[in-house]
């Protein structure tokens, strides 16, 4: 195995989050102090707007900041629309972990993909007002201004969130209802800084084996599915010392054996030529799925990609992997607790089939 260090493609500008990390500008002079949800000012949030028919689905992933001195709230976010065909791009990080034990390592020298635009600053910005009722445990947000890709418009968009405390020092919100087109969302918040100085490194994430419970609002095959945190069948995500560390510490990788990769995805239909041989090879090769997790992005950003080996036995897979940009969840004490994320996985196999694409708003939190 060739030795070397992981090489990054390009140099990324640090995301400037001054509007999020510092105190928000006060609104009109009549604005009054308003309690923030559970007393938490800084939140990471994932929101989806799904319909059963293909084509109109969209996602937002970003930061919410509530101003404790007034009822102002800001939301800086990345947004992706299925209509725009958001083809994944290289995150700028390449998985390479040097020497390894044979049979335990994912593909070396594979670029880790992320959603388009996620390597740069957020392309969306909302401002508005909020009210938090600690008795009902709900936060109501009204967005009054929207800026997307530099174009600003006045809006009147309402959202209501159920607020709860997951752990001491960590708040959780789940979307209850809205007055426009969003259909699901999750947010986690604390008073920890949103700057990169408060972000957990890949070494910290790998140091302790932990289970992060999965909850999601997802779309695939014209069907919307919601999985509740800790519910039967919702699953979890585990990261720990069994993951391989990239040589320069910027990323992690893992190979899952007996992963249950779908023969229909890898081998086609049962009556297709070579189907039986393909199924036999899938079993003989260990039915492996490869995972990559990069920390080589600014702010709270990570990105996560996975794919089945049966889709490419000869090299890095460049087509329909699952691509999931992430924002870290950090509690009041500055401890890493997981992620909120968005799945942005359009069909890149040639003749695009929208029905088979994957989009999702989710969280993975310990």
């Amino acid at each position: 195995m060739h030795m070397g260090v992981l090489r990054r493609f390009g140099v990324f500008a640090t995301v400037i989050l001054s509007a999020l990390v510092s105190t928000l500008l006060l609104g009109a002079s009549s604005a009054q102090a308003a309690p923030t949800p559970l007393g938490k000012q800084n939140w990471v949030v994932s929101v989806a707007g799904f319909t059963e028919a293909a084509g109109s689905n969209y996602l937002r992933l970003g930061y919410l900041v509530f101003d404790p001195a007034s009822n102002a709230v800001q939301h800086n976010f990345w947004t992706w629309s299925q209509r725009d065909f958001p083809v994944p791009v290289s995150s700028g990080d390449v998985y390479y972990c040097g020497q390894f034990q044979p049979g335990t390592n994912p593909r070396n020298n594979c670029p880790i993909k992320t959603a388009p635009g996620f390597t740069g600053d957020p392309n969306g910005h909302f401002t508005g007002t909020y009210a938090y009722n600690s008795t009902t445990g709900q936060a109501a947000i009204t967005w009054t201004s929207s800026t997307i890709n530099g174009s600003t418009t006045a809006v009147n968009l309402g959202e209501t969130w159920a607020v709860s405390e997951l752990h001491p020092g960590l708040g959780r919100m789940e979307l209850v209802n809205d007055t426009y087109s969003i259909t699901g969302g999750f947010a986690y918040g604390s008073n920890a800084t949103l700057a990169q100085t408060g972000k957990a490194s890949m070494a910290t994430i790998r140091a302790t084996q932990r289970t992060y419970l999965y909850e999601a609002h997802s779309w695939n095959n014209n069907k919307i599915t919601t999985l509740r945190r800790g519910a039967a069948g919702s699953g979890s995500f585990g990261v720990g010392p069994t993951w391989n560390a990239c040589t320069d510490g910027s990323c992690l990788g893992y190979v899952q054996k007996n992963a249950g990769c779908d023969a229909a995805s890898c081998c086609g239909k049962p009556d297709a030529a070579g189907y039986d041989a393909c199924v036999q090879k899938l079993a003989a090769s260990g039915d492996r799925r490869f995972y990559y997790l990069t920390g080589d992005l600014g702010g709270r950003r990570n990105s996560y990609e996975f794919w089945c080996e049966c889709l490419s036995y000869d090299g890095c897979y460049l087509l329909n992997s699952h691509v999931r940009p992430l924002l870290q969840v950090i509690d009041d004490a500055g401890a890493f607790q997981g992620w909120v994320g968005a799945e942005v996985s359009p069909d890149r196999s040639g003749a695009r089939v929208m029905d088979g694409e994957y989009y999702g708003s989710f969280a993975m939190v310990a």
Side-chain angles (χ1 to χ4, degrees), residues 65-81:
V65 175
F66 296 93
D67 180 8
S70 71
N71 67 332
V73 59
Q74 293 195 32
H75 181 25
N76 279 6
F77 57 87
W78 294 264
T79 183
W80 300 278
S81 170

Side-chain angles (χ1 to χ4, degrees), residues 314-357:
D314 300 320
C316 303
Y317 183 55
L318 303 178
L319 297 177
N320 293 335
S321 61
H322 290 264
V323 174
R324 297 181 171 183
L326 307 170
L327 294 175
Q328 289 188 3
V329 173
I330 307 292
D331 67 17
D332 279 347
F336 171 77
Q337 299 294 347
W339 300 267
V340 297
E343 171 142 8
V344 186
S345 303
D347 178 17
R348 296 99 78 191
S349 59
R352 184 185 183 192
V353 179
M354 282 192 181
D355 293 357
E357 298 181 340

